[in-house]
Amino acid sequence: DTGSAVVGVGENNPSGSTVSDSQTDVLIMQIVFTAAPQENVKVSIVQIEFVGSGAASEVQYVKLYKDYNGDGDALDPGEGAVVTNGTFTGNIAVLVLPSAAVVSANDTMALLVKYDFSDITAGETYSAKIDSIDSITIYGADSSETLVLSGIPPEINGGIFTGAGGALTVGLG
């Protein structure tokens, strides 16, 4: 039998905070995959959509980290960076996992979406979402078949981050 998986928002999904110029490794979203018992599941493509009043071009890199125990830090043994140099084209970043993140059969695994910011705009907002199941591609580790993915009711949203204030310039006329 071929496997399947369910995807949803993680319990350590951030609510948001303030970000500043050149801030790196900002946890934007936690995605959790649960594999059915039939076989291990390989996550191979994740499409992230930029949302917010700021510009996607203010995000220098979009990163994905494995977080096997779901604690939100990706610092435990076997965890770490999967994609470190994803970029947005328009408002979409298609992240191809070079060594697919594997969810063991009948187990869960989280992926963390992180942003590296370049120059942000004070007062603007920055976030991410996955708006449909079609935004993620998974394969069976044994069957090598594209598997059925369910979940995303109706979308997965990251925390909303606001650009920190800069210098205010007042002109007199």
Side-chain angles (χ1 to χ4, degrees):
D1 286 344
T2 58
S4 62
V6 176
V7 63
V9 64
E11 65 182 43
N12 287 305
N13 197 49
S15 58
S17 64
T18 303
V19 294
S20 54
D21 285 347
S22 304
Q23 191 169 343
T24 60
D25 289 325
V26 177
L27 175 60
I28 300 293
M29 180 169 38
Q30 184 187 47
I31 312 159
V32 175
F33 294 86
T34 303
Q38 291 85 357
E39 68 178 317
N40 295 346
V41 173
K42 292 182 178 181
V43 181
S44 63
I45 298 174
V46 177
Q47 182 174 292
I48 304 296
E49 182 178 347
F50 174 86
V51 291
S53 59
S57 60
E58 295 172 295
V59 176
Q60 184 176 13
Y61 294 114
V62 183
K63 301 176 176 182
L64 278 180
Y65 286 77
K66 291 185 282 187
D67 180 19
Y68 283 117
N69 64 5
D71 65 359
D73 67 18
L75 299 175
D76 300 304
E79 298 181 338
V82 179
V83 175
T84 59
N85 60 352
T87 57
F88 286 108
T89 301
N91 283 349
I92 302 295
V94 177
L95 306 177
V96 178
L97 287 65
S99 57
V102 177
V103 187
S104 297
N106 211 29
D107 203 358
T108 62
M109 180 197 67
L111 285 178
L112 306 178
V113 178
K114 294 185 176 189
Y115 285 174
D116 281 359
F117 289 95
S118 53
D119 293 328
I120 56 93
T121 304
E124 299 296 338
T125 58
Y126 305 86
S127 189
K129 75 175 181 176
I130 297 175
D131 64 356
S132 78
I133 291 170
D134 296 336
S135 299
I136 300 172
T137 303
I138 62 172
Y139 293 95
D142 298 325
S143 65
S144 298
E145 293 183 25
T146 301
L147 300 181
V148 174
L149 181 65
S150 59
I152 307 185
E155 59 191 30
I156 299 173
N157 291 294
I160 299 172
F161 293 79
T162 304
L168 176 63
T169 303
V170 179
L172 300 175

